[in-house]
Amino acid sequence: MLQQILEQMFIDPDLLAELSEEEKQVLFFKMRQEQVRRWKVYDEECEKKRPQARKSVKKAKKKVDFLKGRDGCEWVWVMGEHKSDLTIEQILRKEEQEAAQQSAEKEAQALREKEEAELKKKMEEERLKLIKENELKEAELRRKQEAAALYQSIKEARLAMEQMELEKKKLAEEEKKRLAELEAEEKKARRKSMEVANDIQMKRSLEIFSTLERRRQSMNAIAEEDQKAVENNWREQEKKAREAEEQMRENARKARLEYNESMRRSFTLMQATKAFQDAGASGRNKPPLPPKTYLLANTAPSANNKKPRPLRPRGKEMIISWFQKEEQPRGSGKEMATGDVAPWFHGIINRATSEQMLEPKPVGSFIVRVSERVWGYTISLKEASRFKHFLIDASEGGYQFFGADQTLHKTLEELVNFHKVEPITIAGQELLKFPCGQTLDPPDYWELYDSHETEITSL
């Protein structure tokens, strides 16, 4: 299975979720090695083709010319470095002043138009009132003269007419004088209104500028606070990232140690097995056997006898069929000495159920359950602060941990007994201490065995 993953450079997310951190680090380490190997092969192939490719490539004729300065170098202008350039603060202040001036001018113009309209209306009313008064005076004067003319002589009538003309001239002069006074008053009022509007405009401009400046200062203060918050958040995230990176490096270091240790074990066992076979073939003194905990199975079935099957199970029925056809004849899940089902063996149960089963048990309790993700099993182990789950690959003719430990065991019971005295990983030092038996009746593995099985022990 590991070889298939390295060939495809892909692992199913569900399968990846079942791996422990150490197993993930080892898997990523091997995938990275495979990537580097492929890149070296690809680079060597490209290097062979490169001389021919260089001959076929034409030289580019495109050229970029830069504007030169007096010193002959490329002319560059950086805003703010020249002595006549304004600073950001000066530019913002200037923009605020212009905005305040424009806003105050608009308000003053509106006020002047309003006052001018009111003044024009008032002066028009005064003119109409004056004209009306003069017309009334002229009409009264004519009425009096007409009434007096009835009782006067011709001479007196002529004198009255002359007197009437004088009165009309006098009224016309008074009207003209009054109109001139009204025009003067209008000009004076307009001039005064203009002065008042200018004063208001100046004051309003200062008020608007002060408001804009206070708003800018407030926004700058808020921006500084936000910047401080962002910087603090960034520092916190950077700290967490550094801690996470250090943790990842530590996990990778432990994974490399675990991988090197597993390779050392495999090499030691291979040497011991080879020495044992050489000694047996020659008939000379046989070398001592390696420790029992490191014995490998040399009776793994041939790959040619395997039937092709999917990379991972596709359903519960497929898992049951696989177990009954391949694992049951090998005695998986049973004790070789008695033939009974092992106290640590369980059927097809998920992670959550296994953790609920182990929750009331002491630290070091474990079960071996049939996996839903791979052709193999999963060891679920209770530790002081959490639960750990280790995948066991049974697709290579033996039993070995997926990714973390490359030691191949002959039987599932041998793997379990091996890790009762030897830790599963160097970093975690996990030991299988207390097997957790069945809590259900019938047991959760009843559907795995054929109907002809006469006895299934529930522990």
Side-chain angles (χ1 to χ4, degrees), residues 51-162:
Q52 298 178 357
R54 288 175 181 172
K55 294 180 181 178
S56 60
V57 175
K58 296 182 179 179
K59 294 183 179 180
K61 296 182 179 180
K62 294 183 179 180
K63 185 179 180 182
V64 178
D65 294 327
F66 293 93
L67 182 65
K68 302 292 183 178
R70 294 180 180 177
D71 55 357
C73 299
E74 288 77 8
W75 183 83
V76 179
W77 173 62
V78 180
M79 185 176 66
E81 292 187 355
H82 194 269
K83 59 181 181 180
S84 61
D85 290 345
L86 300 178
T87 62
I88 296 298
E89 187 70 22
Q90 292 173 341
I91 293 173
L92 293 176
R93 187 178 181 85
K94 185 178 180 180
E95 290 179 352
E96 290 172 355
Q97 289 176 348
E98 292 176 354
Q101 183 67 24
Q102 292 176 0
S103 180
E105 286 179 358
K106 290 181 180 179
E107 294 181 2
Q109 181 65 24
L111 180 61
R112 283 195 297 268
E113 291 177 354
K114 181 180 179 181
E115 291 181 352
E116 188 173 354
E118 293 177 355
L119 180 60
K120 188 176 181 180
K121 183 179 179 181
K122 182 180 178 181
M123 297 305 295
E124 190 65 27
E125 290 176 355
E126 290 289 337
R127 289 192 186 93
L128 293 175
K129 183 178 179 181
L130 179 60
I131 293 172
K132 191 174 182 179
E133 289 177 355
N134 291 335
E135 289 178 351
L136 291 175
K137 289 180 180 180
E138 289 179 357
E140 182 67 21
L141 183 59
R142 281 196 303 271
R143 187 183 62 78
K144 289 181 180 180
Q145 289 177 350
E146 290 174 357
L150 296 174
Y151 304 100
Q152 292 177 353
S153 61
I154 295 174
K155 184 179 179 179
E156 290 175 349
R158 189 181 295 115
L159 291 174
M161 290 294 292
E162 292 176 357

Side-chain angles (χ1 to χ4, degrees), residues 133 152 316 334 382 403:
E133 289 177 355
Q152 292 177 353
K316 193 172 184 180
K334 292 187 177 182
K382 181 181 180 181

Side-chain angles (χ1 to χ4, degrees), residues 9-73:
M9 294 303 289
F10 172 79
I11 182 172
D12 190 273
D14 295 334
L15 178 59
L16 183 64
E18 293 288 337
L19 300 179
S20 64
E21 288 299 324
E22 292 80 3
E23 291 173 331
K24 289 178 182 178
Q25 292 293 336
V26 171
L27 178 61
F28 295 155
F29 178 69
K30 292 184 177 180
M31 293 178 74
R32 182 59 179 167
Q33 283 184 329
E34 179 64 17
Q35 286 179 336
V36 172
R37 186 193 67 79
R38 292 184 183 182
W39 170 253
K40 287 181 179 179
V41 173
Y42 173 77
D43 190 52
E44 290 175 358
E45 294 177 355
C46 292
E47 189 66 28
K48 294 177 182 179
K49 300 177 182 179
R50 201 164 292 163
Q52 298 178 357
R54 288 175 181 172
K55 294 180 181 178
S56 60
V57 175
K58 296 182 179 179
K59 294 183 179 180
K61 296 182 179 180
K62 294 183 179 180
K63 185 179 180 182
V64 178
D65 294 327
F66 293 93
L67 182 65
K68 302 292 183 178
R70 294 180 180 177
D71 55 357
C73 299

Side-chain angles (χ1 to χ4, degrees), residues 8 19 58 69 84 111 133 163 206 235 332 335 428 457:
Q8 299 175 1
L19 300 179
K58 296 182 179 179
S84 61
L111 180 61
E133 289 177 355
Q163 186 66 28
L206 293 175
R235 291 193 186 96
S332 296
E335 294 179 330
T457 305

Side-chain angles (χ1 to χ4, degrees), residues 312-410:
R312 50 173 295 184
R314 295 177 180 173
K316 193 172 184 180
E317 293 77 10
M318 188 177 288
I319 299 174
I320 295 174
S321 176
W322 163 78
F323 183 86
Q324 292 177 352
K325 291 180 180 179
E326 299 187 22
E327 294 300 298
Q328 189 175 345
R330 297 165 68 178
S332 296
K334 292 187 177 182
E335 294 179 330
M336 296 300 175
T338 62
D340 297 332
V341 178
W344 36 260
F345 184 72
H346 289 259
I348 307 172
I349 59 176
N350 56 30
R351 176 184 291 215
T353 304
S354 65
E355 291 180 357
Q356 292 177 1
M357 191 179 300
L358 292 170
E359 180 64 33
K361 303 298 181 179
V363 175
S365 299
F366 71 97
I367 65 171
V368 180
R369 52 190 174 92
V370 179
S371 176
E372 299 175 303
R373 308 295 184 188
V374 298
W375 300 107
Y377 305 88
T378 302
I379 290 182
S380 297
L381 174 66
K382 181 181 180 181
E383 291 197 330
S385 59
R386 59 172 179 166
F387 296 94
K388 284 187 176 181
H389 305 271
F390 300 93
L391 289 179
I392 301 174
D393 185 10
S395 63
E396 300 297 331
Y399 301 88
Q400 61 182 355
F401 283 113
F402 183 82
D405 189 357
Q406 299 303 309
T407 303
L408 190 66
H409 297 271
K410 179 179 179 181

Side-chain angles (χ1 to χ4, degrees), residues 142-409:
R142 281 196 303 271
R143 187 183 62 78
K144 289 181 180 180
Q145 289 177 350
E146 290 174 357
L150 296 174
Y151 304 100
Q152 292 177 353
S153 61
I154 295 174
K155 184 179 179 179
E156 290 175 349
R158 189 181 295 115
L159 291 174
M161 290 294 292
E162 292 176 357
Q163 186 66 28
M164 183 176 144
E165 292 295 333
L166 291 174
E167 289 290 338
K168 285 182 179 181
K169 289 181 180 180
K170 186 177 180 180
L171 288 175
E173 290 177 357
E174 289 179 357
E175 181 180 359
K176 186 177 180 180
K177 184 178 179 181
R178 181 59 180 164
L179 289 174
E181 291 176 357
L182 288 175
E183 290 179 359
E185 289 178 1
E186 183 179 0
K187 290 180 180 180
K188 184 178 180 180
R190 187 176 287 109
R191 187 168 52 253
K192 186 176 180 180
S193 175
M194 187 70 71
E195 293 175 357
V196 172
N198 290 335
D199 293 340
I200 294 174
Q201 177 182 345
M202 186 175 297
K203 293 179 181 179
R204 184 59 181 159
S205 176
L206 293 175
E207 290 177 0
I208 295 174
F209 174 71
S210 300
T211 303
L212 293 175
E213 192 171 16
R214 286 195 300 270
R215 185 183 302 172
R216 181 172 59 83
Q217 292 175 355
S218 176
M219 292 177 65
N220 289 340
I222 295 173
E224 289 178 0
E225 293 178 359
D226 293 342
Q227 183 67 21
K228 290 180 180 178
V230 169
E231 289 179 357
N232 293 334
N233 188 20
W234 181 80
R235 291 193 186 96
E236 187 68 22
Q237 291 180 353
E238 187 182 20
K239 181 180 178 182
K240 292 180 179 179
R242 283 198 300 267
E243 293 175 355
E245 185 178 359
E246 291 175 358
Q247 184 64 32
M248 289 179 62
R249 289 180 178 176
E250 181 64 19
N251 292 338
R253 186 187 66 82
K254 293 180 179 178
R256 287 194 294 271
L257 291 176
E258 184 70 26
Y259 176 73
N260 294 334
E261 179 64 19
S262 65
M263 295 300 292
R264 186 189 65 79
R265 290 179 184 177
S266 300
F267 182 72
T268 303
L269 291 171
M270 183 176 65
Q271 284 185 330
T273 303
K274 186 175 183 301
F276 176 77
Q277 293 175 350
D278 293 343
S282 60
R284 293 189 296 272
N285 293 332
K286 297 181 180 179
L289 293 174
K292 184 178 180 181
T293 55
Y294 292 104
L295 283 177
L296 290 177
N298 55 5
T299 60
S302 174
N304 297 328
N305 298 330
K306 290 185 180 179
K307 295 182 180 180
R309 60 170 174 247
L311 181 62
R312 50 173 295 184
R314 295 177 180 173
K316 193 172 184 180
E317 293 77 10
M318 188 177 288
I319 299 174
I320 295 174
S321 176
W322 163 78
F323 183 86
Q324 292 177 352
K325 291 180 180 179
E326 299 187 22
E327 294 300 298
Q328 189 175 345
R330 297 165 68 178
S332 296
K334 292 187 177 182
E335 294 179 330
M336 296 300 175
T338 62
D340 297 332
V341 178
W344 36 260
F345 184 72
H346 289 259
I348 307 172
I349 59 176
N350 56 30
R351 176 184 291 215
T353 304
S354 65
E355 291 180 357
Q356 292 177 1
M357 191 179 300
L358 292 170
E359 180 64 33
K361 303 298 181 179
V363 175
S365 299
F366 71 97
I367 65 171
V368 180
R369 52 190 174 92
V370 179
S371 176
E372 299 175 303
R373 308 295 184 188
V374 298
W375 300 107
Y377 305 88
T378 302
I379 290 182
S380 297
L381 174 66
K382 181 181 180 181
E383 291 197 330
S385 59
R386 59 172 179 166
F387 296 94
K388 284 187 176 181
H389 305 271
F390 300 93
L391 289 179
I392 301 174
D393 185 10
S395 63
E396 300 297 331
Y399 301 88
Q400 61 182 355
F401 283 113
F402 183 82
D405 189 357
Q406 299 303 309
T407 303
L408 190 66
H409 297 271

